[in-house]
Amino acid sequence: RFDERWSAKTGLRTEHTQLDIRQITSSVEAANSYTNHLPSAFVSWKLSGDATLRFAWSRRAQRPNPNDLNPYVVFQSPTDRSAGNPRLKASQGDSFELGFDTTWAGVKTDLRLFARNEDDVITQHQIVIKDENGRDVVLTTPQNYGENRSHGVEFVFNGKPMPALTVNISGNLRRAEQTRFSGGGLPDTISDTSLSGRTHLNYRLTAEDQLQLTVFG
């Protein structure tokens, strides 16, 4: 804390991963190693007695699961096979948030602008290979490829604007874009915009009676 209004927190986490894989059934051996540096920073600025502006940034790593790494080829159908990829690395993503919280007319208000980016996403890739009989089959295997991008705003309103009324409203407006392999194995980009939320109102009519309204969307 620098003074009564400013405070900050920073950190760095470094992880090294060493993988030695031996697939006994297929007699496949593989090795993989990588290092992830994961910094973070949080800053808050108190604007007034009940209003605060906050900024947060953090980097995170999403590791592949064991099935993604197992190179053993699994029979799915006469024309389809699947196998893991022992050379996969963790995907890395950055999360940025700018938040404002205050209390107005008895209601705590929390607004957050966010942007989240993820690179080297673990996505499924399909290629054509020859099976044991020399016929073409489709092999589905994970690869580090593509990006996930999203940005939007999150909002929360919670409190009692009137002695008998309790309000709880939350939701987010989000725009997302993903780069991946299409069903034909070619690069493709998809995007979507979504709005979701929840509203709960509780009004106390008498000491024993309450009127409630809940809306999901």
Side-chain angles (χ1 to χ4, degrees), residues 6-54:
W6 284 95
S7 65
K9 180 188 294 185
T10 61
L12 174 65
R13 179 185 180 92
T14 298
E15 300 177 348
H16 178 73
T17 301
Q18 176 70 44
L19 297 174
D20 295 292
I21 298 172
R22 182 186 179 195
Q23 216 300 319
I24 299 176
T25 306
S26 302
S27 299
V28 176
E29 295 186 4
N32 195 359
S33 66
Y34 53 88
T35 301
N36 298 112
H37 302 289
L38 309 173
S40 61
F42 305 89
V43 179
S44 66
W45 179 30
K46 198 171 187 62
L47 301 173
S48 63
D50 57 1
T52 304
L53 190 66
R54 308 179 191 275

Side-chain angles (χ1 to χ4, degrees), residues 65-170:
N65 62 51
N67 288 334
D68 289 331
L69 297 169
N70 187 357
Y72 183 72
V73 178
V74 177
F75 180 91
Q76 302 288 350
S77 75
T79 58
D80 294 280
R81 306 288 190 273
S82 65
N85 180 2
R87 294 176 178 82
L88 285 177
K89 297 184 178 181
S91 62
Q92 290 195 124
D94 291 292
S95 174
F96 302 89
E97 290 188 359
L98 179 63
F100 173 76
D101 58 79
T102 187
T103 300
W104 181 76
V107 177
K108 180 174 175 56
T109 301
D110 191 349
L111 301 175
R112 294 184 185 275
L113 299 174
F114 68 86
R116 299 179 181 118
N117 307 320
E118 184 181 7
D119 298 312
D120 291 330
V121 178
I122 298 174
T123 185
Q124 300 299 318
H125 187 209
Q126 293 181 330
I127 58 176
V128 177
I129 64 171
K130 299 292 184 181
D131 66 3
E132 59 278 3
N133 298 316
R135 294 174 298 190
D136 289 342
V137 296
V138 177
L139 175 68
T140 301
T141 183
Q143 288 190 16
N144 289 110
Y145 177 84
E147 304 170 339
N148 286 336
R149 300 282 185 263
S150 66
H151 59 272
V153 59
E154 298 175 340
F155 52 89
V156 177
F157 306 99
N158 187 21
K160 300 184 69 172
M162 302 168 53
L165 178 63
T166 301
V167 176
N168 190 314
I169 302 173
S170 62

Side-chain angles (χ1 to χ4, degrees), residues 54-70:
R54 308 179 191 275
F55 171 77
W57 165 59
S58 62
R59 178 170 295 173
R60 299 177 181 178
Q62 182 66 42
R63 302 181 182 281
N65 62 51
N67 288 334
D68 289 331
L69 297 169
N70 187 357

